[in-house]
Amino acid sequence: MTVARSERLLVLLQVMRRYRQPVSGATLAAETGVSLRTLYRDIASLQAQGALIEGEAGLGYILKPGFMLPPMMFSQEEIEALVLGSRWVAKMADPILAAGAVDALQKIAAVLPVELSEEIDNSTLLVAAPRNREDRSDLAMIRKAIRAEHMLDLAYRDEKGALTERRVWPFALGFFDSVRVMIGWCELRQGFRHFRTDRIVSAVSTGKRYPRRRPALLKEWRRSEGISAPG
């Protein structure tokens, strides 16, 4: 398979992922800039590689979730994005998440073709060391609580030094150059609140699920903050 064809198949996959309903071959051919005959050959190639593409000519096609891209199909820009993202996490996140970023990048490099693996080692995209503030809380535990949708009991010190006890429904963590912020619904304040992790004196998981789903809380918070969902 030539590089040009690999890139073309990657584009086709990316286009198909945008559709939740069957889409015609003519539409796919127009969006990927190929002839209908070439489009049919490309779909057959992807199906042979394991892509779960259902449908047929005249009826439309749909890509089912679960297909993993062969390593050769990463573009150079995608490799650079993976390297930069992994390096950022390794510098900015807590030690457990940082180690995960390093391990993930090593696993990716191990299965890449030699020329792409060398791009990882030789990447000139660098991340500066952060101006860290010490976290008293266990970020790994907070991430686990977010995934499990468990309530947290916090002892939190605000910018004026006042200490309060809160029960919070955590649903997101924000990572910035100098601080990290846990976002959650605060039962005490009856609203969304942002808690700097360096001001969390203690955080204890209750082991109990909060009454709403995390995606719903995230969507409502984004709407309240005027933030668009990532595209």
Side-chain angles (χ1 to χ4, degrees):
M1 182 183 292
T2 66
V3 174
R5 190 177 179 212
S6 296
E7 292 287 346
R8 193 175 73 234
L9 295 180
L10 176 59
V11 170
L12 175 57
L13 281 173
Q14 292 170 331
V15 169
M16 295 191 73
R17 283 196 174 99
R18 295 203 298 263
Y19 290 94
R20 301 294 179 88
Q21 300 297 327
V23 57
S24 70
T27 298
L28 293 173
E31 291 198 32
T32 54
V34 299
S35 68
L36 197 55
R37 183 177 179 181
T38 298
L39 184 279
Y40 292 147
R41 286 203 305 266
D42 288 348
I43 287 178
S45 295
L46 289 173
Q47 289 172 327
Q49 293 181 42
L52 301 177
I53 298 176
E54 296 182 354
E56 58 184 86
L59 297 177
Y61 298 92
I62 186 168
L63 175 65
K64 298 293 184 179
F67 178 57
M68 301 297 292
L69 289 175
M72 70 179 63
M73 295 184 69
F74 283 116
S75 69
Q76 187 168 358
E77 286 74 21
E78 288 167 337
I79 291 294
E80 289 180 344
L82 288 170
V83 171
L84 183 59
S86 297
R87 288 178 177 175
W88 193 94
V89 173
K91 291 274 190 181
M92 302 296 184
D94 59 274
I96 294 177
L97 200 59
V102 173
D103 291 344
L105 193 60
Q106 289 176 343
K107 288 179 180 178
I108 292 171
V111 298
L112 286 174
V114 174
E115 64 275 10
L116 291 182
S117 180
E118 290 176 350
E119 289 291 332
I120 289 180
D121 295 332
N122 299 327
S123 175
T124 55
L125 302 179
L126 308 177
V127 177
R131 299 186 297 277
N132 281 332
R133 298 175 187 265
E134 183 178 356
D135 284 315
R136 300 178 182 179
S137 53
D138 183 347
L139 292 189
M141 183 275 293
I142 291 175
R143 290 199 310 274
K144 183 177 179 180
I146 290 173
R147 290 193 296 268
E149 300 181 348
H150 284 172
M151 294 181 282
L152 295 177
D153 285 337
L154 302 185
Y156 187 74
R157 196 176 300 279
D158 65 20
E159 67 276 8
K160 297 180 180 179
L163 186 65
T164 58
E165 294 184 356
R166 318 281 189 100
R167 176 156 286 190
V168 177
W169 309 348
F171 58 85
L173 272 174
F175 291 82
F176 303 91
D177 286 345
S178 58
V179 296
R180 302 167 182 128
V181 176
M182 184 187 76
I183 307 168
W185 175 268
C186 177
E187 292 188 358
L188 177 66
R189 305 302 187 195
Q190 284 297 294
F192 294 114
R193 290 295 185 270
H194 305 123
F195 301 93
R196 280 178 43 165
T197 57
D198 59 310
R199 292 179 179 165
I200 296 177
V201 177
S202 67
V204 178
S205 176
T206 65
K208 300 177 181 178
R209 287 190 64 171
Y210 43 75
R212 298 183 60 192
R213 298 308 309 274
R214 173 166 40 89
L217 288 170
L218 182 61
K219 184 177 181 180
E220 185 177 334
W221 170 78
R222 282 178 174 148
R223 186 166 57 248
S224 70
E225 296 289 322
I227 300 172
S228 299

